[in-house]
């Protein structure tokens, strides 16, 4: 790993993201991909019947399987991989049909546990200035060739909301080269500052309160709407397998569909919340549970 210096930290503070090259070696990358392959091997589509994970359009209700996935390992299909009944299309290869696996790989799967609590990450997070960092969720995202859908512009604090605002960062580790063609991340540099100035996020994604579920007819919902971001202000950030991007919780980012024939874009990502002086919002879809509370980074 190239060392992160104070200019890098200033750049992170200015731009809202930071590329760290060669964070993990080729062997370590393969280790994570193999661990994921074993997880998919274990999936019995008949028993588990994963739902599709919609990244665009109406994301209002993600249902109970999603809502209760914070302390489990659960699978979500690409929308284009399932039929109208939500079942895997006939003859579809499950390895090429999954959108993501989440959200407690960092605790429940030993390989991801090892790399999540890696000394290099602890060092980075310390440099960024987090005092009591804790891991709140983790995901393996496949961005499958041909069918990997777009993720529209958003900020992560929409999903992981804190008081004060934006006390969350994302660690996004490429396990395959992330290029413009197969759906790398795009950012609006400095957009986290606009959100800070505005004093709140434009959209929240929340769990519906117990007493309102019947009336609302859903378990989760979005409130508010994103502005029409100027497409020309997004910059692509292609990275190589083994590189990582540190993402500020308030910076606007997106990814385009994977338009390649055979180049998936696997990544492992997780989120870290600053627990010192921070309150986790009760309406967040993700809540710590007694089985899996948010895990302090220095606890392992
Ligand atoms: Fe994101």
């Amino acid at each position: 790993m190239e060392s992160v210096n104070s200019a890098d930290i200033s750049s992170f503070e200015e731009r809202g993201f930071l590329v760290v090259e060669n964070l993990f070696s080729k062997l370590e990358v393969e280790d994570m991909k193999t661990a994921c392959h074993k997880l998919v091997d274990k999936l019995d589509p008949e028993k588990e019947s994963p739902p599709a994970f919609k990244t665009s359009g109406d994301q209002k209700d993600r249902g109970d399987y999603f809502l209760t996935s914070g302390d489990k390992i659960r699978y979500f299909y690409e929308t284009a991989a399932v039929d109208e009944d939500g079942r895997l299309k006939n003859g579809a290869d499950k390895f090429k049909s999954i959108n993501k696996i989440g959200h407690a790989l960092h605790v429940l799967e030993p390989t991801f546990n090892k790399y999540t609590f890696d000394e290099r990450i602890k060092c980075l997070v310390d440099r960024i200035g987090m005092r009591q960092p804790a891991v709140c969720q983790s995901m393996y995202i496949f961005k499958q060739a041909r069918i990997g859908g777009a993720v529209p512009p958003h900020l992560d604090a929409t999903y992981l909301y804190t008081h004060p605002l934006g006390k969350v960062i994302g660690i996004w580790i490429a396990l395959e080269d992330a290029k413009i063609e197969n759906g790398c991340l795009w950012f609006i540099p400095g957009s986290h500052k606009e959100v800070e100035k505005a004093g709140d996020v434009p959209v929240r994604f929340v769990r519906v309160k117990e007493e309102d579920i019947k009336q609302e007819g859903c378990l989760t919902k979005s409130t508010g709407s994103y502005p029409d971001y100027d497409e020309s202000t997004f910059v692509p950030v292609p990275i190589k397998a083994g590189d990582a991007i540190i993402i500020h919780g308030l910076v606007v980012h997106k990814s385009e569909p994977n338009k390649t024939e055979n180049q998936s874009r696997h990544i492992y990502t997780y989120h870290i919340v600053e627990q010192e002086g921070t309150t986790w919002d009760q309406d967040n879809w993700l809540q710590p549970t007694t089985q899996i509370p948010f895990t302090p980074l220095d606890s392992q």
Side-chain angles (χ1 to χ4, degrees):
M1 172 182 133
E2 288 177 8
S3 60
V4 171
N5 56 35
S6 53
D8 294 326
I9 301 303
S10 303
S11 168
F12 173 74
E13 286 164 0
E14 277 304 304
R15 290 159 65 83
F17 64 94
L18 176 70
V19 173
V20 183
E21 292 181 347
N22 302 312
L23 182 62
F24 291 107
S25 71
K26 281 200 166 62
L27 268 177
E28 291 170 322
V29 163
E30 282 314 309
D31 205 15
M32 284 186 252
K33 288 181 78 175
T34 303
C36 173
H37 204 275
K38 285 181 186 160
L39 284 178
V40 178
D41 249 342
K42 274 193 220 164
L43 167 66
D44 178 346
E46 293 305 316
K47 264 196 204 148
E48 181 99 9
S49 51
F53 188 75
K54 260 171 108 176
T55 52
S56 56
D58 178 21
Q59 300 175 48
K60 192 177 160 191
D61 192 7
R62 288 191 169 161
D64 184 62
Y65 182 87
F66 172 85
L67 188 62
T68 55
S69 67
D71 57 1
K72 299 179 185 69
I73 291 179
R74 285 191 166 163
Y75 306 80
F76 301 87
Y77 287 141
E78 271 299 338
T79 315
V82 297
D83 60 23
E84 302 91 70
D85 302 326
R87 295 173 69 84
L88 201 57
K89 282 180 184 166
N90 224 350
D93 177 350
K94 63 180 178 176
F95 290 94
K96 293 186 174 168
S97 303
I98 297 173
N99 171 291
K100 71 170 181 177
I101 304 177
H103 290 91
L105 286 84
H106 62 290
V107 176
L108 300 175
E109 204 293 321
T111 302
F112 291 109
N113 174 264
K114 182 171 88 179
Y115 293 116
T116 303
F117 296 89
D118 189 278
E119 286 305 320
R120 289 162 285 189
I121 303 283
K122 289 177 189 171
C123 177
L124 269 173
V125 168
D126 184 60
R127 287 280 182 86
I128 284 170
M130 293 181 103
R131 307 288 295 270
Q132 284 180 32
V135 182
C136 51
Q137 68 162 9
S138 51
M139 294 178 269
Y140 191 102
I141 300 176
F142 294 74
K143 196 75 150 185
Q144 305 281 1
R146 291 186 297 107
I147 59 168
V151 177
H154 68 280
L155 21 137
D156 293 346
T158 282
Y159 302 94
L160 309 170
Y161 193 79
T162 57
H163 310 270
L165 199 57
K167 291 290 178 186
V168 164
I169 60 161
I171 309 284
W172 198 91
I173 302 161
L175 303 177
E176 296 177 323
D177 292 352
K179 303 178 271 194
I180 289 179
E181 311 85 84
N182 68 350
C184 69
L185 288 182
W186 295 65
F187 289 87
I188 303 180
S191 49
H192 60 304
K193 292 191 173 183
E194 298 301 315
V195 180
E196 268 162 12
K197 229 185 277 167
D200 208 352
V201 297
V203 178
R204 296 257 341 249
F205 176 81
V206 296
R207 55 173 59 214
V208 173
K209 288 186 195 341
E210 198 76 43
E211 59 270 29
D212 299 332
I213 291 174
K214 214 169 174 190
Q215 198 192 340
E216 299 251 10
C218 54
L219 297 177
T220 55
K221 64 175 183 179
S222 287
T223 60
S225 59
Y226 286 112
D228 280 330
Y229 295 110
D230 178 353
E231 286 295 325
S232 70
T233 57
F234 282 92
V235 298
V237 184
I239 60 171
K240 298 267 184 217
D243 297 348
I245 307 179
I246 317 299
I247 305 170
H248 191 291
L250 299 178
V251 75
V252 180
H253 57 287
K254 65 168 185 174
S255 68
E256 296 294 330
N258 185 341
K259 292 187 178 138
T260 67
E261 273 306 306
N262 53 15
Q263 297 174 55
S264 52
R265 190 226 60 191
H266 289 199
I267 62 114
Y268 173 58
T269 185
Y270 58 101
H271 285 88
I272 298 176
V273 57
E274 168 65 272
Q275 291 199 305
E276 187 179 273
T278 305
T279 310
W280 190 254
D281 195 274
Q282 292 297 305
D283 293 338
N284 283 336
W285 79 268
L286 177 75
Q287 295 295 330
T289 64
T290 39
Q291 284 85 359
I292 302 190
F294 293 168
T295 320
L297 201 61
D298 63 4
S299 67
Q300 325 192 351

